[in-house]
Amino acid sequence: MENTYNKIIELDDAMKHFRDGMIIMFGGFGGIGTPPSLIDGILDNGFKDLTLIGNDSGFPHIGIGKVVSQGRAKKMIASHIGSNPVAGQLMTDGKMEVEFSPQGILAERIRAGGVGIPAILSDIGLDNDIVTGNKQTCSVGGKKYLVETALTADVSIVFAKKADPYGNLIFDKSARNTNPLVAMAGDMTIAEVEEIVPLGSLDPDEIITPGVFVNYIVPSKGVNWKWAWE
């Protein structure tokens, strides 16, 4: 049985929870807040045919873009892929399916998945065929809405600055981005963490993601990519 008060595992053990064809949800915005060691673990273990859910496709050699650029994803649900030309080419060539969701709606769909709401209603994108696709519509109060289904994943991966052994997480400034929502929406959540501190040493008011949402903690080996603006 898992020790709920010590969820720290090594990267190799974390990889035992991944498989080909699974749905992975990831935190991050252009790579900021995306877990580098877990990304490398996915690559090193050769997992493929993945469905990836997150804000964007990163850059070719940054964040989730490293997975996308190696052709490991069969589908991506994201708000944009413009920062990664490899993702655009894969979509154009029919080698990766892309479902676009407006950024705020994407975040809300993830939140809905995390709290057990099956769908949300939105009028954003009703006039846009790319957004609407084959989505169901309904009428409420005489107004038409898109039914945006909630998003969940087999495994959610997030990147935190600090954690205790129970999995309470603190994020680093803007690296917080979608991570708290993503942490809620996975059947299993694995947090890569820069610093692990003793249980009881975190100020409760600083904790963003409670450990109840986190199954495992992996010590980070550090960000190992060069940022696009450097």
Side-chain angles (χ1 to χ4, degrees):
M1 179 180 291
E2 174 189 335
N3 182 349
T4 57
Y5 293 101
N6 188 1
K7 303 176 181 180
I8 304 167
I9 61 173
E10 295 300 320
L11 180 61
D12 288 344
D13 292 323
M15 288 299 107
K16 296 175 182 178
H17 299 285
F18 293 79
R19 66 181 187 278
D20 292 347
M22 73 185 307
I23 302 172
I24 299 174
M25 189 179 291
F26 61 95
F29 190 110
I32 296 174
T34 302
S37 301
L38 289 172
I39 293 295
D40 282 353
I42 291 169
L43 292 172
D44 292 343
N45 283 273
F47 298 117
K48 62 185 185 301
D49 298 324
L50 305 171
T51 296
L52 304 175
I53 304 174
N55 181 72
D56 55 74
S57 58
F59 295 83
H61 304 292
I62 294 175
I64 202 68
K66 296 171 70 174
V67 177
V68 173
S69 296
Q70 288 197 18
R72 304 291 184 86
K74 66 178 180 181
K75 180 177 181 179
M76 182 158 217
I77 302 175
S79 68
H80 73 89
I81 61 171
S83 58
N84 189 346
V86 178
Q89 191 62 55
L90 289 169
M91 180 184 70
T92 300
D93 293 343
K95 295 179 180 179
M96 182 176 72
E97 178 186 354
V98 179
E99 178 186 333
F100 290 106
S101 188
Q103 195 169 77
I105 299 303
L106 178 68
E108 187 66 6
R109 291 174 70 190
I110 293 171
R111 189 196 70 83
V115 299
I117 298 172
I120 63 169
L121 302 182
S122 170
D123 61 356
I124 296 173
L126 274 171
D127 58 348
N128 187 316
D129 291 339
I130 293 177
V131 174
T132 56
N134 295 318
K135 293 176 182 176
Q136 182 181 350
T137 61
C138 69
S139 180
V140 177
K143 187 174 181 179
K144 186 178 180 181
Y145 294 95
L146 286 172
V147 178
E148 297 278 10
T149 54
L151 295 172
T152 57
D154 298 312
V155 173
S156 284
I157 57 174
V158 299
F159 189 38
K161 182 176 180 61
K162 191 179 293 187
D164 62 21
Y166 182 65
N168 294 307
L169 305 180
I170 295 174
F171 302 96
D172 186 14
K173 299 183 285 293
S174 64
R176 173 174 172 176
N177 50 58
T178 61
N179 275 297
L181 299 177
V182 168
M184 296 168 60
D187 292 342
M188 173 182 293
T189 294
I190 302 175
E192 179 177 335
V193 180
E194 293 183 89
E195 180 185 0
I196 300 173
V197 300
L199 192 66
S201 63
L202 294 179
D203 182 342
D205 289 335
E206 290 184 308
I207 294 169
I208 304 300
T209 294
V212 68
F213 292 114
V214 177
N215 297 91
Y216 297 108
I217 303 162
V218 174
S220 180
K221 297 179 182 180
V223 174
N224 56 359
W225 49 67
K226 184 176 181 180
W227 295 107
W229 50 84
E230 288 186 271

